[in-house]
């Protein structure tokens, strides 16, 4: 066989070698992207919410069982928590995954801390009957100012324009975040009946979520009309076998808007839950 007859085989080998190398590179890139691209986070809230929802637990995290949770906020990877009771009230920054308290400021013994909201890199904290609020710098918890209000302080949230305050009645108050003066208020109703004991608040996707004190219910409120547009039943989310004589009621709603995650806990609960809302079965 002469040299001219061998040349096509050599060219074919080169072509096959290049082809196989290309396949190897493509496969390696695919594997790299598959293992290094963050998986899609499953939303806590479906696009369409029904009037009656319940929950599925997505994750559970440790929570300080001594924390008498009054206000809860999620912000850029951390939980911020207001805990109550006289001589025990505090403001905390908490690691979500471990429940570790990373930073803590204790209030004076005469204050019973309540609701909490974040506004313009500031934490705004209410007190219960003292009618005094505190504004802290988010970065180091230094106190920026104090303010007063005319009602009791229960829950607090922020709708990107105003602070929204509950006082344990059927009313919500809208405050100017710079002056803390009331600029509007709403009576909250469901089918014409006033809904009392509105407590912890969270503003989520254009609605106000409110825990009803001493129940396992959260209501979804239209902030323009005050009408309750939906109920969320969180019954039995904290198992009986981890409850103690100190375990108190559900109270703590936090929302992560970037990953669309919803967190709930309660007063002196040992767990904090990430939940997904699901429609109540018609069965």
């Amino acid at each position: 066989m002469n040299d001219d007859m061998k040349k096509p085989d050599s060219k074919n080998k080169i072509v096959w070698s290049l082809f196989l190398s290309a396949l190897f590179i493509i496969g390696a890139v695919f594997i790299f992207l598959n293992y290094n691209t963050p998986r899609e986070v499953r939303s806590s809230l479906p696009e369409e919410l029904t009037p009656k929802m319940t929950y599925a637990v997505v994750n559970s995290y440790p929570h300080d069982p001594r924390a008498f949770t009054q206000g809860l906020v999620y912000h850029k990877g951390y939980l911020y928590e207001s805990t109550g009771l006289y001589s025990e009230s505090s403001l905390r920054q908490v690691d979500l995954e471990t429940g570790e308290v990373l930073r803590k400021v204790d209030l004076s013994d005469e204050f019973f801390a309540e609701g909490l909201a974040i506004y313009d890199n500031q934490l705004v904290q209410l007190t219960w009957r003292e009618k005094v609020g505190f504004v802290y710098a988010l970065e180091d918890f230094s106190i920026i100012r104090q303010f007063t209000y005319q009602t009791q302080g229960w829950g607090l949230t922020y709708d990107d324009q105003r602070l929204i305050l509950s006082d344990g009645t059927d009313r919500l108050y809208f405050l100017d975040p710079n002056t803390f003066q009331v600029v509007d208020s709403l009576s909250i109703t469901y089918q014409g009946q006033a809904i009392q004991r509105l407590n912890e608040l969270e503003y989520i996707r254009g609605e106000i979520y409110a825990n009803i004190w001493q129940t396992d219910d959260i209501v979804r409120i239209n902030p323009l009309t005050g009408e309750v547009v939906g109920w969320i039943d969180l019954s039995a989310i904290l198992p009986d076998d981890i409850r103690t004589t100190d375990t108190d009621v559900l109270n703590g709603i936090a929302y992560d808007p970037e990953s669309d995650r919803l967190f709930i806990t309660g007063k002196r609960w040992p767990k904090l839950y990430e939940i997904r809302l699901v429609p109540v079965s018609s069965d």
Side-chain angles (χ1 to χ4, degrees), residues 78 92-96 98-104 141:
Y78 298 101
R92 305 174 175 202
Q93 181 188 36
V94 180
D95 182 271
L96 170 64
T98 66
E100 179 186 0
V101 178
L102 304 175
R103 180 180 289 125
K104 180 172 175 278
F141 284 10

Side-chain angles (χ1 to χ4, degrees), residues 36-97:
N36 289 277
T37 300
R39 296 182 180 180
E40 182 180 356
V41 176
R42 188 165 186 178
S43 171
S44 283
L45 279 65
E47 290 299 322
E48 298 275 337
L49 292 171
T50 59
K52 292 185 178 180
M53 305 290 291
T54 184
Y55 67 92
V57 173
V58 176
N59 281 307
S60 65
Y61 305 95
H63 179 252
D64 182 359
R66 297 165 298 180
F68 199 77
T69 306
Q70 299 293 88
L72 191 68
V73 180
Y74 180 93
H75 181 71
K76 295 185 177 179
Y78 298 101
L79 290 167
Y80 294 87
E81 187 171 15
S82 174
T83 71
L85 299 177
Y86 291 110
S87 302
E88 296 184 29
S89 291
S90 69
L91 172 66
R92 305 174 175 202
Q93 181 188 36
V94 180
D95 182 271
L96 170 64
E97 297 289 338

